[in-house]
């Protein structure tokens, strides 16, 4: 019988409470992992005291913006690794990959990097001048890691082609869902009626949804596309519609821009996004920037939501796993995107295929991760 490894997760930013996609990706992964193997998390100070039943959470690290200040905690971490009999050190993102290298040298324990995207590519998209320097660093820490967990096949394949990594040390550990089946039609109708009534909309209004972290460049660019590219085309169509925009961390200027559009309904951060995933007719994902997986798209599909996405925005989700519920459009072809939005064929009754739930359910994801951790 293979051992159950004791895992130390190191997270260099705020993840509690988990509200944004990246935060959910971290918290849900370790919460489900802790159900099958011992987990201790060391997190950034801004998380504060966080009570979680199945794992100990210690908030004493500096945020990765002041990364090397964490050198002061190296020996505290070494002591913790000994006390907790840690077998594997898991670094979330590559930011503190150097710390994993130092701890491996001090403790002889292997370390992994769990990557949510190719971080340097995100910095490049944000037009950070030194993104190429971070790319060199990111390559170096992945080469030093005993395992690399990538969130999509596309990210893994790019890293293998460009970073000369060992394929046997690279595993795809995706974002997940706790949904195991599609919501009942009666539940979807109830949610739709709630949205119509709450927003004083006519029964025949077609309801679209876009949500995300709204200061994140790919999502900010998607809002620009919705307003400048999609709305003019949609408003020329002879049917009533509204697009709900949900999400947090939005600038005051963007709030004014969204609220000035009569066809948009800006809701801000909503505590129950499932109401919108179940109650709207279609989720739209006109995202063309960024790597990694789009958490919001996985969430929408898990609720059997019809989704229209650019090809770039659907990275990490095989097209056949979305079935007819996932309609892909070539990047920047906004005429085709709007045509899909108004097409009756898009709103199919055929459910998301079972393969989607089999791959993206958190239980399956953590079992795959555990197998990799057991052999590190």
């Amino acid at each position: 019988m293979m051992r159950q490894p004791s895992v130390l997760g190191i997270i260099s930013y705020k993840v509690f409470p988990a509200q944004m996609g990246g935060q959910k990706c971290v918290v849900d992964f370790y919460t489900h992992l802790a159900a099958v193997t011992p987990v201790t998390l060391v997190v950034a100070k801004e998380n504060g005291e966080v009570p979680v039943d199945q794992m100990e959470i210690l908030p004493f690290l500096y945020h990765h913006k002041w990364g090397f200040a964490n050198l002061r905690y190296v020996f505290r971490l070494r002591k913790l690794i000994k006390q907790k009999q840690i077998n594997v050190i898991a670094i979330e993102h590559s930011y503190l990959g150097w710390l994993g290298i130092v701890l491996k040298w001090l403790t002889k324990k292997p370390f992994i990097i769990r990557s949510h995207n190719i971080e340097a590519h995100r910095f490049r998209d944000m037009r950070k001048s030194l993104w190429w320097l971070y790319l060199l660093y990111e390559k170096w820490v992945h080469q030093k890691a005993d395992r690399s967990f990538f969130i999509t096949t596309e990210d893994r394949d790019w890293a293998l082609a460009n970073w000369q990594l060992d394929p046997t040390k690279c595993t795809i550990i995706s974002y997940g869902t706790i949904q195991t089946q599609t919501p009942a039609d009666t539940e979807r109708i109830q949610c739709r009626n709630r949205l119509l009534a709450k927003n004083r909309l006519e029964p025949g209004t077609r309801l679209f949804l876009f949500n995300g972290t709204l200061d994140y460049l790919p999502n900010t660019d998607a809002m620009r596309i919705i307003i400048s590219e999609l709305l003019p085309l949609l408003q020329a169509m002879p049917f009533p519609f509204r697009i709900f925009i949900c999400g947090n961390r939005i600038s005051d200027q963007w709030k004014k821009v969204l609220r000035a559009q009569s066809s948009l309904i800006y809701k801000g951060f909503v505590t129950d996004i499932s109401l919108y995933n179940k109650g709207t007719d279609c989720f739209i994902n006109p995202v063309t920037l960024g790597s990694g997986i789009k958490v919001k798209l996985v969430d929408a599909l898990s609720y059997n939501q019809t989704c229209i996405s650019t090809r770039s925005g659907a990275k990490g989700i095989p097209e056949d796993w979305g079935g007819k519920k996932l309609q892909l459009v070539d990047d920047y072809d906004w005429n085709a995107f709007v045509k899909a939005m108004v097409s009756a064929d898009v709103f199919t009754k055929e459910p998301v295929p079972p393969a989607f739930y089999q791959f993206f359910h958190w239980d399956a994801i953590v079992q795959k991760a555990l197998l990799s951790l057991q052999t590190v």
Side-chain angles (χ1 to χ4, degrees), residues 8 48 61 179 203 221 235 248 308:
L8 174 65
L61 290 178
Q179 300 296 318
D221 186 62
Q235 288 166 345
N248 61 354
I308 301 170

Side-chain angles (χ1 to χ4, degrees), residues 19-20 23 212-215 246-250 266 268-270:
Q19 297 178 335
M20 297 176 287
Q23 293 172 332
T213 304
L214 301 180
D215 69 345
C246 302
N248 61 354
R249 292 174 56 171
I250 188 172
Y266 168 65
F269 175 73
V270 295

Side-chain angles (χ1 to χ4, degrees), residues 19 33 101 109 118 120 147 152 229 276 280 332 350 354:
Q19 297 178 335
L33 184 64
I101 295 170
K109 302 297 181 181
I118 305 300
R147 287 287 191 281
T152 67
E229 303 288 350
Y276 293 84
T280 54
Y332 308 110
E350 185 174 321

Side-chain angles (χ1 to χ4, degrees), residues 17 31 47 169 211 303 339 344:
T31 300
N47 287 279
K169 295 182 178 181
N211 77 284
Y303 285 104
K339 184 178 179 181

Side-chain angles (χ1 to χ4, degrees), residues 90-317:
I91 307 291
E92 204 70 19
H93 295 277
S94 54
Y95 306 131
L96 295 187
W98 62 268
L99 183 57
I101 295 170
V102 172
L103 291 174
K104 178 180 179 179
W105 177 69
L106 287 173
T107 66
K108 310 305 179 187
K109 302 297 181 181
F111 84 98
I112 68 168
I113 292 178
R114 183 166 175 253
S115 173
H116 294 219
N117 49 35
I118 305 300
E119 206 66 47
H121 289 175
R122 183 171 72 87
F123 293 151
R124 179 195 61 197
D125 290 343
M126 295 171 66
R127 299 182 180 178
K128 291 183 179 273
S129 60
L130 297 180
W131 68 269
W132 59 271
L133 190 59
Y134 191 90
L135 184 64
L136 295 176
Y137 162 78
E138 196 171 12
K139 173 181 178 180
W140 174 69
V141 295
H142 274 280
Q143 288 177 335
K144 294 294 184 181
D146 295 278
R147 287 287 191 281
S148 291
F149 286 176
F150 292 101
I151 205 161
T152 67
T153 301
E154 291 86 349
D155 284 0
R156 182 203 60 185
D157 291 349
W158 187 93
L160 288 174
N162 292 275
W163 289 347
Q164 296 79 51
L165 304 182
D166 182 347
T168 65
K169 295 182 178 181
C170 297
T171 307
I172 298 170
I173 302 297
S174 186
Y175 171 73
T177 176
I178 60 172
Q179 300 296 318
T180 58
Q181 59 187 4
T182 63
D185 286 345
T186 54
E187 186 179 3
R188 299 189 69 88
I189 293 170
Q190 290 172 355
C191 290
R192 175 181 170 80
N193 288 338
R194 283 176 61 187
L195 291 179
L196 290 173
K198 186 175 181 179
N199 296 279
R200 300 178 181 179
L201 300 174
E202 295 296 322
T205 306
R206 186 165 291 181
L207 305 180
F208 299 103
L209 171 65
F210 177 78
N211 77 284
T213 304
L214 301 180
D215 69 345
Y216 180 46
L217 179 61
N219 292 334
T220 303
D221 186 62
M223 289 192 295
R224 178 194 61 79
I225 289 167
I226 289 171
I227 292 172
S228 64
E229 303 288 350
L230 303 186
L231 278 186
L233 295 171
L234 286 166
Q235 288 166 345
M237 302 291 179
F239 74 97
F241 72 93
R242 291 293 187 276
I243 301 175
F244 289 100
I245 307 288
C246 302
N248 61 354
R249 292 174 56 171
I250 188 172
S251 69
D252 289 338
Q253 182 60 38
W254 265 110
K255 287 181 184 178
K256 293 178 182 178
V257 171
L258 296 180
R259 287 169 174 162
Q261 300 292 330
S262 60
S263 298
L264 302 182
I265 301 177
Y266 168 65
K267 305 301 290 189
F269 175 73
V270 295
T271 55
D272 183 17
I273 194 63
S274 68
L275 169 64
Y276 293 84
N277 275 320
K278 289 183 285 189
T280 54
D281 297 299
C282 179
F283 179 85
I284 59 172
N285 187 44
V287 172
T288 60
L289 301 177
S291 59
I293 197 166
K294 303 303 179 284
V295 169
K296 54 184 172 286
L297 188 55
V298 175
D299 283 342
L301 285 168
S302 75
Y303 285 104
N304 200 37
Q305 173 70 297
T306 294
C307 299
I308 301 170
S309 176
T310 57
R311 295 190 181 279
S312 290
K315 289 176 181 176
I317 305 176

